[in-house]
Amino acid sequence: MAGEPHLGADAADKDRNADADAVAVAAAPNGAGGGGHKLSLVPLIFLIFFEVAGGPYGAEPAVQSAGPLYALLGFLIFPFIWAIPESLVTAELSTALPGNGGFVLWADRAFGPFSGSLMGTWKYVSGAINGAALAALCADYLGRVVPAVADDGGPRVATIVVFNVVLTVLNYTGLAVVGWTAVGLGLASLSPFVLMSGIALPKIRPRRWGGVAAEKDWKLFFNTLFWNLNYWDSVSTMAGEVERPGKTLPKALVSAVSMTSLGYLLPLMAATGAIDVAPEDWGNGFFADAAGMIAGRWLKYWIEVGAVLSSIGLYSATLSSAAFQLLGMADLGLLPRIFSVRAPVFNTPWVSILATSAITLGMSFFSFNNIVAAANFLYSLGMLLEFAAFIWLRIKRPDLSRPYRVPMRLPGAVALCLVPSAFLVFVMAIAGWKVYAISAAFTAAGVGVYYLMRFCKDRGCLRFSDGGGGGDEGTEAAAFQRQGGRNGDV
């Protein structure tokens, strides 16, 4: 595409990386994110890992719904048609616009503030619901080890509250602390699967991989794949907190995609190949039972403990992403300025962290059957808007510096987005009427929030940023994030 450089000359790449890194530094007050320490490569990889997966826990319904053959094919093929395209789009846009807020900023720059605000509603509600479900899931897993927590009552409520408070405090101390905690949790939750795969090797019979379910539930199958391999763009909401984002973000995304894909595929190959079990038995949590059959009860208990640790990592990463999304929206002037206030010592967005923590805690006690499906629907709407923003910015802003650029011209970029977009439409089409109704209600609420914020801004009821991003209204980052104006305003 004319006027838009490709990945190529080293000098040009270094200049573009330097531009992105300089803007990211300007975007964070005091030049630092989270306690004066920015996210480096290794903790960022594990944060992305937990924003997406946290290990193969939850992959079992893919086997249950279609059998080992389709489950293995699904986790082998789906990363290429979904995870990789989403990660490539995230890498390009996060390095081109390396400010907090991520996908909200992209939609705002492409189509204007209304689209940015609506994107924020869809993605935030989706993330908050998932965070709340994770708190309840952690209690469920812990209930396997401590039976008193499994039943509704005081112990379960206390577990969820303590879980929420502890991880809120952890997030308050900064992303660097959250990131290195994620490294420890990731190693601890993945290690039993590495052991299980090694012990299973002599017991594997490849013929078992060809098994299929007698009655296939394709809706459950595709929803399981989607649930376990989405949210690659969540890291974009804290791009302003990443050390040298022009180089670090693409490397982290490539590493996280590889680790996550193998983290599903290898344990599935080991478990389905080593034991003769009917697909119907592969319900949630069956990996622990499979480990017990392969190696003994000690590994079963280890995987159950690993599931709790994984839930902790998933919730912590989700809370971080959602809180920094609110910070980015406040920097853009889409939410009141109070959401961009940072703690004096740790430099974290403490108001956004507390607000997100309170919302997810309150939702942790709801019934999730239809509301989680609605979260997937809202996430799908956001992803369609995200792909549209990616293409629109390629067309309308060829001059935008892209430290990492997906190595495709416009037709290739369109093709890259078409396959995952078709899958998103398919997932949305198979949703039930209750999901449509809940999603419509949340969307209507998002529209109402946008116009309420405009009313408050016009009347001076609340204090708002000027929409520049980055917290300091007169900074160079503000000019960068608004350069060229909003296409949607014209």
Side-chain angles (χ1 to χ4, degrees):
M1 183 173 175
E4 185 170 338
H6 292 270
L7 293 174
D10 291 341
D13 286 344
K14 289 178 181 178
D15 288 344
R16 290 195 295 274
N17 284 326
D19 289 344
D21 298 342
V23 171
V25 170
N30 306 322
H37 298 284
K38 290 206 167 195
L39 279 170
S40 56
L41 179 61
V42 173
L44 183 61
I45 290 171
F46 279 87
L47 266 179
I48 298 171
F49 170 71
F50 276 114
E51 284 168 346
V52 175
Y57 310 96
E60 298 97 334
V63 181
Q64 182 186 46
S65 58
L69 177 62
Y70 291 107
L72 292 173
L73 287 175
F75 280 102
L76 177 65
I77 297 170
F78 198 65
F80 291 96
I81 64 174
W82 173 253
I84 291 176
E86 186 183 3
S87 298
L88 289 173
V89 169
T90 299
E92 176 169 314
L93 293 178
S94 292
T95 56
L97 302 169
N100 294 321
F103 36 73
V104 176
L105 174 59
W106 310 339
D108 179 89
R109 283 289 299 279
F111 304 118
F114 177 78
S115 295
S117 180
L118 198 56
M119 171 75 90
T121 297
W122 288 335
K123 292 294 189 81
Y124 186 80
V125 170
S126 176
I129 291 172
N130 282 328
L134 288 168
L137 182 64
C138 181
D140 290 340
Y141 279 129
L142 191 59
R144 291 171 173 258
V145 182
V146 184
V149 178
D151 300 324
D152 291 335
R156 181 180 180 85
V157 171
T159 297
I160 292 175
V161 171
V162 170
F163 176 82
N164 181 280
V165 170
V166 170
L167 294 181
T168 298
V169 173
L170 178 68
N171 272 265
Y172 179 81
T173 62
L175 275 179
V177 176
V178 172
W180 284 110
T181 302
V183 174
L185 291 171
L187 295 175
S189 59
L190 284 175
S191 55
F193 290 100
V194 174
L195 279 176
M196 183 189 75
S197 299
I199 296 171
L201 276 176
K203 304 178 182 181
I204 289 176
R205 302 295 179 266
R207 61 176 173 77
R208 294 172 179 151
W209 294 332
V212 296
E215 294 184 8
K216 300 172 185 64
D217 185 344
W218 294 116
K219 183 177 180 179
L220 175 61
F221 176 75
F222 285 111
N223 273 322
T224 300
L225 291 178
F226 185 61
W227 177 268
N228 283 280
L229 287 167
N230 61 12
Y231 289 95
W232 295 101
D233 59 340
S234 293
V235 67
S236 68
T237 63
M238 38 195 170
E241 314 298 306
V242 175
E243 180 181 274
R244 303 175 68 192
K247 291 184 177 180
T248 305
L249 277 166
K251 290 179 181 178
L253 282 162
V254 169
S255 301
V257 168
S258 303
M259 183 171 73
T260 300
S261 300
L262 291 174
Y264 282 118
L265 193 59
L266 295 181
L268 280 171
M269 292 180 69
T272 57
I275 58 176
D276 268 318
V277 177
E280 305 84 66
D281 294 332
W282 275 79
N284 278 317
F286 185 76
F287 262 126
D289 296 327
M293 297 176 194
I294 292 169
R297 296 178 66 86
W298 63 274
L299 191 56
K300 176 187 178 187
Y301 291 140
W302 191 351
I303 284 185
E304 288 175 344
V305 171
V308 175
L309 298 178
S310 176
S311 298
I312 292 171
L314 284 161
Y315 181 85
S316 180
T318 300
L319 177 59
S320 295
S321 176
F324 276 91
Q325 180 191 325
L326 293 185
L327 166 66
M329 293 180 71
D331 286 343
L332 288 167
L334 299 174
L335 289 177
R337 195 172 178 180
I338 190 171
F339 287 102
S340 65
V341 173
R342 293 187 182 242
V345 176
F346 297 106
N347 202 28
T348 46
W350 67 273
V351 175
S352 293
I353 291 171
L354 282 179
T356 301
S357 176
I359 290 169
T360 53
L361 178 61
M363 296 179 71
S364 297
F365 303 103
F366 289 175
S367 174
F368 286 99
N369 291 334
N370 289 308
I371 202 169
V372 169
N376 283 339
F377 191 94
L378 294 172
Y379 179 81
S380 299
L381 288 173
M383 283 308 307
L384 290 173
L385 181 57
E386 186 173 311
F387 287 137
F390 171 67
I391 298 301
W392 190 256
L393 288 171
R394 276 288 190 100
I395 296 170
K396 295 296 184 181
R397 292 301 311 276
D399 59 313
L400 184 65
S401 176
R402 292 171 169 85
Y404 172 80
R405 179 185 181 276
V406 178
M408 297 176 180
R409 293 187 178 274
L410 184 60
V414 172
L416 177 74
C417 297
L418 278 179
V419 174
S421 295
F423 180 78
L424 290 170
V425 172
F426 169 74
V427 169
M428 294 164 66
I430 63 176
W433 70 267
K434 290 183 180 179
V435 172
Y436 294 140
I438 294 171
S439 301
F442 277 123
T443 300
V447 173
V449 167
Y450 171 73
Y451 284 105
L452 176 62
M453 293 300 102
R454 282 192 59 177
F455 175 82
C456 291
K457 186 182 293 187
D458 292 341
R459 295 296 181 92
C461 304
L462 298 169
R463 294 185 65 193
F464 289 82
S465 169
D466 68 349
D472 296 327
E473 294 181 11
T475 62
E476 183 180 347
F480 174 87
Q481 292 186 335
R482 287 292 183 198
Q483 65 182 359
R486 292 188 178 101
N487 292 315
D489 290 342
V490 179

